[in-house]
Amino acid sequence: MNGKPIGVLNLQGGVCEHIDHLQRLGIDARPVKQEKDFDGLAGLILPGGESTCLARLLRIFAIDEIIIRGFRKGMKLWGTCAGAILLAGKLTGEAPHLGLIDIEVQRNCFGSQLDSFACESSVPKISPDPVPLTFIRAPKILRVGEGVEALLRMDDFIAAAESPEVLVTVFHPELTGCLAFHRYFARKCGLHPHEEGDLDPTWDKTSWTKLSRIK
Ligand code: GLN
């Protein structure tokens, strides 16, 4: 393990998959839920799940304020799918939640859960190889504001973007065998994740989650 930890918001959604990916990279990764868990985090991942549910829980337990305080102190943020919805400054037709990155997002933009799909694409800033992409009842990023860079444009939407402090992806890198986005985020947090050559060679990339990790 090296450096400060990265937390994964542990309220609902895909938590252990993110933790597993970060740990494979040698990062101290942990589920966070209570106020004390957020102390000293280099970064925080807001996972995919259901943004309406996550937003309610954030408000009920006043975790929204804890995240905003951490962000102001330099904690980097990455939202995947529902997490990106929570971070967006503007939501088409709905009130925004945390509003920490200047993007406009429209929820459920591909249709129902049955319209979920996987593909791959080149994302030059993240990896020299094509990156596998998994979209699950995904939103679309319709627009990015000043100071926000589109990392991946597809058809009529933006699938990944970042500001200096916040990364957003509308797909789920934690559900693929590719560690490139997690490595990128760890570096954005000032950490030193393992290079490809330093990874455990026994890692079975077809079964990459260890669901028993979260107590
Ligand atoms: N459709 C969900 C929402 O609107 C997001 C789905 C996901 O995170 N995979 O919150």
Side-chain angles (χ1 to χ4, degrees):
M1 299 291 165
N2 64 62
K4 293 196 320 182
I6 292 181
V8 183
L9 185 66
N10 183 25
L11 297 177
Q12 189 264 336
V15 178
C16 49
E17 294 86 350
H18 276 298
I19 289 179
D20 216 62
H21 270 42
L22 291 168
Q23 289 180 344
R24 287 183 197 285
L25 292 168
I27 301 297
D28 179 0
R30 52 184 74 164
V32 295
K33 185 186 279 191
Q34 314 221 355
E35 183 159 9
K36 62 175 171 35
D37 303 337
F38 291 80
D39 285 348
L41 294 182
L44 175 72
I45 296 180
L46 291 84
E50 177 51 48
S51 59
T52 48
C53 170
L54 281 162
R56 276 196 76 170
L57 293 170
L58 282 181
R59 258 199 321 279
I60 290 170
F61 296 108
I63 298 172
D64 45 2
E65 293 161 24
I66 299 169
I67 294 175
I68 291 168
R69 264 203 311 276
F71 172 74
R72 291 200 182 122
K73 283 200 238 153
M75 178 178 76
K76 301 288 191 274
L77 299 171
W78 175 15
T80 50
C81 204
I85 294 168
L86 294 176
L87 290 170
K90 184 156 194 247
L91 290 185
T92 311
E94 300 174 54
H97 302 294
L98 295 166
L100 295 176
I101 180 166
D102 184 5
I103 56 173
E104 178 173 354
V105 169
Q106 186 168 357
R107 293 179 57 217
N108 300 333
C109 226
F110 296 89
S112 77
Q113 195 83 349
L114 292 175
D115 298 302
S116 300
F117 63 97
C119 60
E120 60 173 34
S121 190
S122 163
V123 193
K125 203 166 172 188
I126 305 294
S127 170
D129 305 312
V131 180
L133 307 170
T134 302
F135 294 81
I136 304 174
R137 202 154 65 93
K140 286 183 181 179
I141 301 170
L142 304 180
R143 181 193 62 77
V144 297
E146 207 157 311
V148 180
E149 182 185 355
L151 297 173
L152 174 58
R153 290 181 187 274
M154 301 177 75
D155 302 330
D156 64 343
F157 70 101
I158 295 163
E162 70 171 348
S163 68
E165 301 82 22
V166 181
L167 174 66
V168 282
T169 56
V170 301
F171 48 85
H172 291 266
E174 78 285 7
L175 298 181
T176 74
C178 175
L179 299 174
F181 267 94
H182 290 78
R183 186 178 286 115
Y184 185 78
F185 182 63
R187 290 200 182 116
K188 193 175 172 81
C189 294
L191 303 174
H192 303 284
H194 292 335
E195 300 296 335
E196 209 59 29
D198 302 327
L199 297 176
D200 178 350
T202 63
W203 174 30
D204 173 4
K205 291 192 179 180
T206 61
S207 173
W208 55 87
T209 59
K210 297 192 186 73
L211 295 169
S212 57
R213 280 258 174 78
I214 300 208
K215 296 184 190 95

